[in-house]
Amino acid sequence: MHPALLLAAAAALSPGRGIPETLATDRAAHIRGLRYDLTFHIPEAKSAPIHASETVRFDLAAPRQVILDFEQKRALILAVKIGGKTVPFDFLDGHIILPAAATHAGENAIEIEFVAGDESLNRNPEFLYTLSVPARAHYAFPCFDQPSLKARYTLTLDIPSAWQVTANGAETGRRSAGDRTTVKFAETKPLPTYLFAFAAGKFQVETAERNGRTFRMFHRETDAAKVARNRDAIFDLHARAVSWLEDYTAIPYPWGKFDFVLIPSFQFGGMEHAGAILYNASGLMLDASATQNQLLGRASVISHETAHMWFGDLVTMRWFNDVWMKEVMANFMAAKIVNPSFPEINHDLRFLLSHYPAAYDVDRTAGSNPIRQQLSNLDEAGSLYGAIIYDKAPIVMRQLEMIAGERGFRDGMRDYLKRYSFGNATWVDLVNILEARNPGQVANWSHAWVDQRGRPEITTTLGDDVTLTQHDPLGRNLIWPQRLKVTAGWPGRVQHFDVAMNGATAKIPAANPLYVLPNGGGLGYGLFQLDPATLRYLLDQVEDIADPLTRGAAWVDLWEELLEGRVSAAQLLDTAARALPQEPDEQNTQRILTDVVRSFWHELPPDQRTARAPELERQLRAGLAGAPTASRKSSWFNAYRDVVLTPDGLAWLERVWRRDEKIDGLTFAEPDEIDMALNLALREVAGWQQILTAQRDRTQNPDRKARFEFVMPSLSADPAVREQSFERFRTLANRQHEAWVLEAERYLNHPLRAPESRRFVRPALDLLPEIQRTGDIFFPKRWMDATLSGHRSPEAAAEVRQYFAAHPELPERLRWVVLSAADDLLRSAARATARKP
Ligand SMILES: [Zn+2]
């Protein structure tokens, strides 16, 4: 080896852990014509190492240092060669660093032999599958793990002969020798690393032809009747989505073949690997008793993943800060494809109730973030996900379509997809296309809605006409341009007004109405501070509003008014008690019952709880008795179970749990009985220990039994046992089942236990950074929600403030997590302090 080479190698600096944006930008600027030729030898045994090799080919304009990502021990890199000769390299912080002297202008081909890491290979006893989003491909093989370096992949898999296999490319050949088979796949079109995929194992394969295209479904379902019942519907839904998207985008399906794999207990609903989509099996293979919601959910997830074949796969975000775009577009397209097939569902109301409250829960807080965020390293990409991406962004995208018009929006999308096909684009690229088509309307709009956090406050003034005024509560003087459908009501008459609110105020020709709801048509987004007449009207007769969508919007507004301190919990509960029996729409009933439970526990002072309990229980029992369907009965019953406090009420619940009492039209499954037992124990009814042990013993499903045993100690009436229950969470191994931890943590911090569990608040905050490091993307926020949602005392609020004071170094994103989870607590503590003389 030449001494100069050694010196160069020794002097290499680490680009830092993870995938820093600076590294990604630099590589994208210099690497061209990227190709991977990959071979994996997959043993039958899940624990045996996967030997692998690759050739990475790319063009350089001039010799330069090359940094590949491989997040494994150095020992797993067996050889790095160029032209068959071993080359020196550094290995720092998960990066293979080749000196400039090892490269040359023109095509470079680096040959690497290695052992693939298991982290993104999801190895099970009879199958495995890749899942690399957002940047986990480099756990499995050395690569440039960033979305802006799209590559063509040629894959060879050596697998047990009894296994089935699929990958992005079409199979081009196979050769068997003994119990091993080697399968070769065609070179792919350009793909980002997060979409490179294969799945192999013991699968059944179903094939179907639709519109001249062959679809293949890989699955592990053993119930042949279930497969027979579902297969045609699953193929039809895919075929329909493909045709719809080809028509909408004016671009033929880009990936040649179309396979999909149904994975048991898959991490997500689906993952859009080009040409080889993965799904959670239970979302597609439905039982005969599937509800309308499950059917809608299946159609939606299939359309969502299929839409990604264009939105995300064909055109990919340059960096993960724009991941929200592909998610929103996929949902947006899915709704267009699917909703017309479910005419009995009020889709506008569903959109309102599923997105607005969740978006407001973050956006009203000091922990809100813009839709488009900075992301300096892909190892933080998980923290981008949350209600702002999943719930605010769809609302915003709907506004964008209104600005451009349906046809204009579609044509803009066609431009965008065509211009950036097989490449990358940013949100700004899309804004530029739409701004050119709608001059002056899109860029400003995007600045307020996408680049900035928070929401406008919109006040209404009634008179000879109605005036809407918006202002920026964060003092930036931001104007949020938006389309509103304003509803105004007079005795015996209702009118909707389409309003484009592009400035600080808007006037509506509605003289002296009884009430005005600026978001009555379910479009507007903001904090709507209702005028006094409207607020009075809603509290007195919200149920008189005939349109279910407008009623739903009114309930969303009432909740915001409650948090603003302009409506009391008692007023809200009285209004709900009167309105609920007359509410014909199941979605609204569900929403109001949720508000009732939340007000009862979190907003009502504890002494008023006891006073209100008997009447509230009576109302919920009456609702249960009168509800016409099982699903409505179950909403009423769950609300009852969650609030019940009186001895008589608890005795009835206990009889139901003991199966001594039947409820007409409602049957309980094991999870329902578990929830009853836990709630009885939480209330410390006589014999609560026996109830818990009896429930444990009667639980049949082993997963549920294990979960129940895990949660049980957090329900103990003995504070020492609860203390131990909390202490468990400090150990990573005890946090493996995040859903279990969250359930236990919620019970520990239930309002009934809040005074004693206040001492867990600080330790839970102290654990947060570790939880973020070790947990799934949604865990940090859910952990804080589970901890803080039960607390409303000034003392608990002080714990949060002291934590902030003690940790000025807390990363911004974690600060946001705490601030948004603590918002209700900090608000009510502030109200309590204000009430004190
Ligand atoms: Zn998606």
Side-chain angles (χ1 to χ4, degrees):
M1 187 182 297
H2 194 280
L5 273 187
L6 267 180
L7 195 67
L13 291 175
S14 167
R17 291 223 75 89
I19 317 293
E21 189 178 15
T22 44
L23 172 67
T25 307
D26 181 69
R27 291 195 299 210
H30 294 98
I31 290 169
R32 294 280 174 273
L34 182 60
R35 287 181 145 83
Y36 297 94
D37 193 334
L38 279 155
T39 301
F40 294 93
H41 302 275
I42 298 166
E44 175 122 42
K46 158 179 169 351
S47 54
I50 295 181
H51 285 273
S53 60
E54 67 177 341
T55 303
V56 186
R57 287 193 178 78
F58 52 90
D59 296 329
L60 291 176
R64 67 186 334 267
Q65 187 190 59
V66 170
I67 300 177
L68 285 150
D69 313 317
F70 190 49
E71 191 69 56
Q72 293 298 343
K73 290 198 206 76
R74 185 181 182 126
L76 297 194
I77 308 167
L78 307 178
V80 178
K81 295 178 182 172
I82 294 178
K85 288 194 192 124
T86 300
V87 291
F89 65 92
D90 269 294
F91 187 70
L92 294 170
D93 293 337
H95 303 286
I96 297 170
I97 305 174
L98 294 166
T103 70
H104 55 268
E107 195 192 66
N108 290 264
I110 304 170
E111 302 136 36
I112 307 177
E113 283 172 46
F114 59 98
V115 176
D118 285 345
E119 288 88 338
S120 49
L121 293 180
N122 300 283
R123 299 181 68 183
N124 288 275
E126 295 188 334
F127 63 99
L128 86 174
Y129 59 92
T130 55
L131 183 61
S132 299
V133 69
R136 292 169 67 79
H138 73 290
Y139 287 81
F141 64 97
C143 58
F144 303 107
D145 206 355
Q146 61 188 76
S148 54
L149 275 175
K150 287 193 170 182
R152 296 172 186 273
Y153 295 82
T154 308
L155 177 65
T156 304
L157 290 178
D158 164 38
I159 54 170
S161 292
W163 285 19
Q164 301 289 341
V165 64
T166 179
N168 304 109
E171 188 177 317
T172 54
R174 63 169 63 204
R175 205 184 54 236
S176 291
D179 57 357
R180 304 289 300 173
T181 296
T182 302
V183 184
K184 285 192 173 298
F185 297 90
E187 186 180 68
T188 67
K189 298 238 175 76
L191 282 176
T193 41
Y194 82 92
L195 291 174
F196 165 75
F198 59 82
K202 292 188 177 159
F203 289 100
Q204 305 293 317
V205 185
E206 300 276 326
T207 303
E209 295 276 330
R210 294 286 188 280
N211 311 325
R213 179 183 304 285
T214 302
F215 293 87
R216 290 196 301 169
M217 170 168 73
F218 292 64
H219 69 89
R220 291 175 52 80
E221 180 56 61
T222 49
D223 178 348
K226 194 168 184 176
V227 175
R229 195 168 58 235
N230 283 283
R231 57 159 276 156
D232 282 337
I234 294 172
F235 285 124
D236 288 345
L237 286 164
H238 279 96
R240 196 161 154 261
V242 169
S243 313
W244 192 96
L245 283 151
E246 286 185 327
D247 186 50
Y248 187 90
T249 62
I251 296 174
Y253 173 73
W255 306 107
K257 60 98 157 161
F258 199 123
D259 290 346
F260 52 95
V261 187
L262 276 52
I263 307 274
S265 297
F266 187 59
Q267 286 92 327
F268 313 136
M271 180 62 211
E272 68 265 25
H273 302 126
I277 300 174
L278 304 188
Y279 290 106
N280 190 8
S282 64
L284 266 58
M285 287 280 179
L286 300 181
D287 290 321
S289 61
T291 62
Q292 202 64 18
N293 251 336
Q294 287 173 303
L295 292 167
L296 176 65
R298 173 169 75 180
S300 298
V301 73
I302 288 173
S303 299
H304 176 109
E305 303 309 336
T306 306
H308 273 315
M309 297 300 116
W310 287 260
F311 298 96
D313 292 11
L314 180 63
V315 179
T316 307
M317 66 270 166
R318 183 180 296 161
W319 189 238
F320 263 88
N321 66 328
D322 274 332
V323 67
W324 65 278
M325 274 175 80
K326 75 175 177 72
E327 290 314 315
V328 170
M329 291 312 304
N331 269 345
F332 202 70
M333 295 301 142
K336 284 179 183 291
I337 297 167
V338 167
N339 288 358
S341 317
F342 292 82
E344 63 286 16
I345 290 175
N346 184 333
H347 293 286
D348 288 337
L349 181 59
R350 189 165 187 266
F351 187 90
L352 176 93
L353 295 179
S354 59
H355 293 308
Y356 280 74
Y360 289 163
D361 275 348
V362 175
D363 224 8
R364 76 167 78 86
T365 76
S368 70
N369 56 274
I371 290 177
R372 194 159 195 245
Q373 304 177 53
Q374 291 300 311
L375 178 69
S376 56
N377 195 312
L378 288 190
D379 64 8
E380 292 170 11
S383 66
L384 295 173
Y385 295 82
I388 295 298
I389 284 188
Y390 284 107
D391 298 298
K392 185 179 180 182
I395 295 167
V396 164
M397 193 58 74
R398 201 171 54 157
Q399 287 274 344
L400 183 58
E401 189 187 38
M402 274 185 278
I403 292 174
E406 254 179 73
R407 189 161 281 259
F409 184 80
R410 184 201 67 184
D411 292 345
M413 285 298 164
R414 287 179 174 182
D415 266 11
Y416 164 82
L417 289 172
K418 196 164 174 210
R419 190 175 305 180
Y420 298 104
S421 275
F422 298 107
N424 297 87
T426 66
W427 168 245
V428 177
D429 294 324
L430 177 59
V431 164
N432 288 342
I433 287 174
L434 293 172
E435 172 74 19
R437 294 171 155 270
N438 307 272
Q441 292 192 67
V442 180
N444 279 340
W445 170 90
S446 168
H447 174 69
W449 287 102
V450 177
D451 297 335
Q452 301 290 325
R453 70 190 189 93
R455 56 183 184 165
E457 279 181 17
I458 296 178
T459 50
T460 35
T461 321
L462 311 191
D464 290 340
D465 45 26
V466 170
T467 309
L468 301 184
T469 310
Q470 64 165 304
H471 97 277
D472 177 1
L474 297 176
R476 297 160 297 185
N477 292 322
L478 204 60
I479 295 286
W480 283 263
Q482 65 173 315
R483 307 292 165 109
L484 299 161
K485 196 171 262 201
V486 179
T487 307
W490 294 264
R493 181 166 69 93
V494 173
Q495 206 177 332
H496 299 287
F497 300 86
D498 290 317
V499 180
M501 190 168 188
N502 293 321
T505 62
K507 277 203 190 305
I508 298 146
N512 302 305
L514 274 176
Y515 66 90
V516 174
L517 292 168
N519 62 338
L523 286 186
Y525 183 90
L527 172 61
F528 298 101
Q529 295 188 317
L530 304 176
D531 65 274
T534 299
L535 195 52
R536 192 70 261 157
Y537 182 87
L538 296 187
L539 291 174
D540 290 346
Q541 53 195 107
V542 60
E543 63 276 20
D544 291 348
I545 297 174
D547 178 19
L549 176 62
T550 307
R551 253 187 350 266
W555 279 102
V556 171
D557 290 344
L558 279 173
W559 186 257
E560 297 300 307
E561 296 284 5
L562 175 82
L563 294 180
E564 290 292 302
R566 304 195 326 131
V567 165
S568 71
Q571 284 176 305
L572 192 105
L573 286 167
D574 289 341
T575 305
R578 198 190 60 242
L580 266 171
Q582 303 174 57
E583 178 55 59
D585 188 286
E586 181 168 0
Q587 296 188 71
N588 280 332
T589 301
Q590 184 72 262
R591 173 74 208 168
I592 303 168
L593 286 170
T594 303
D595 285 351
V596 166
V597 174
R598 298 199 288 181
S599 323
F600 183 78
W601 284 119
H602 302 309
E603 306 301 331
L604 204 62
D607 53 323
Q608 287 188 38
R609 251 184 240 153
T610 322
R612 277 189 168 263
E615 179 56 16
L616 179 57
E617 289 170 18
R618 193 199 59 74
Q619 289 158 1
L620 295 174
R621 286 276 296 278
L624 170 63
T629 62
S631 98
R632 286 180 177 229
K633 279 186 187 295
S634 126
S635 301
W636 285 93
F637 179 82
N638 291 346
Y640 176 88
R641 176 204 64 207
D642 289 344
V643 299
V644 60
L645 272 187
T646 66
D648 284 354
L650 284 165
W652 183 78
L653 181 64
E654 189 175 335
R655 287 200 301 281
V656 174
W657 174 77
R658 291 191 184 284
R659 303 171 182 169
D660 293 339
E661 184 100 33
K662 293 269 174 285
I663 300 173
D664 277 345
L666 188 58
T667 48
F668 294 108
E670 201 167 80
D672 302 310
E673 294 191 335
I674 287 174
D675 285 337
M676 285 185 240
L678 294 172
N679 273 283
L680 289 166
L682 177 69
R683 271 84 166 170
E684 298 178 26
V685 299
W688 61 266
Q689 294 99 328
Q690 289 84 345
I691 291 176
L692 288 179
T693 44
Q695 181 61 51
R696 183 191 58 201
D697 296 342
R698 73 152 84 141
T699 300
Q700 300 289 322
N701 177 295
D703 293 336
R704 280 198 282 270
K705 198 186 192 85
R707 176 176 175 147
F708 188 81
E709 283 169 343
F710 184 88
V711 173
M712 252 174 78
S714 64
L715 272 305
S716 174
D718 180 350
V721 176
R722 296 210 299 276
E723 173 108 38
Q724 287 159 14
S725 174
F726 179 83
E727 289 300 317
R728 292 180 297 173
F729 303 151
R730 295 183 187 278
T731 311
L732 177 60
N734 292 331
R735 298 197 303 266
Q736 283 318 23
H737 296 283
E738 294 177 356
W740 301 6
V741 172
L742 294 172
E743 185 174 13
E745 178 72 355
R746 259 191 306 274
Y747 279 118
L748 275 177
N749 290 283
H750 189 277
L752 285 172
R753 296 270 164 82
E756 298 154 59
S757 61
R758 195 178 302 140
R759 66 206 155 91
F760 303 139
V761 168
R762 182 58 186 269
L765 285 158
D766 288 333
L767 261 180
L768 180 62
E770 188 186 322
I771 276 179
Q772 190 197 24
R773 260 197 318 281
T774 56
D776 188 23
I777 54 176
F778 299 110
F779 197 33
K781 174 66 161 51
R782 288 175 181 168
W783 167 253
M784 285 326 304
D785 283 341
T787 301
L788 296 178
S789 67
H791 294 279
R792 287 295 180 273
S793 67
E795 295 83 355
E799 296 279 355
V800 174
R801 282 194 296 269
Q802 283 157 17
Y803 175 73
F804 280 132
H807 291 283
E809 83 296 349
L810 192 68
E812 188 178 38
R813 282 165 205 283
L814 279 189
R815 180 172 295 271
W816 290 348
V817 163
V818 179
L819 281 170
S820 61
D823 189 65
D824 289 349
L825 165 62
L826 297 174
R827 267 172 204 268
S828 49
R831 281 204 300 271
T833 315
R835 275 198 300 270
K836 276 187 189 140

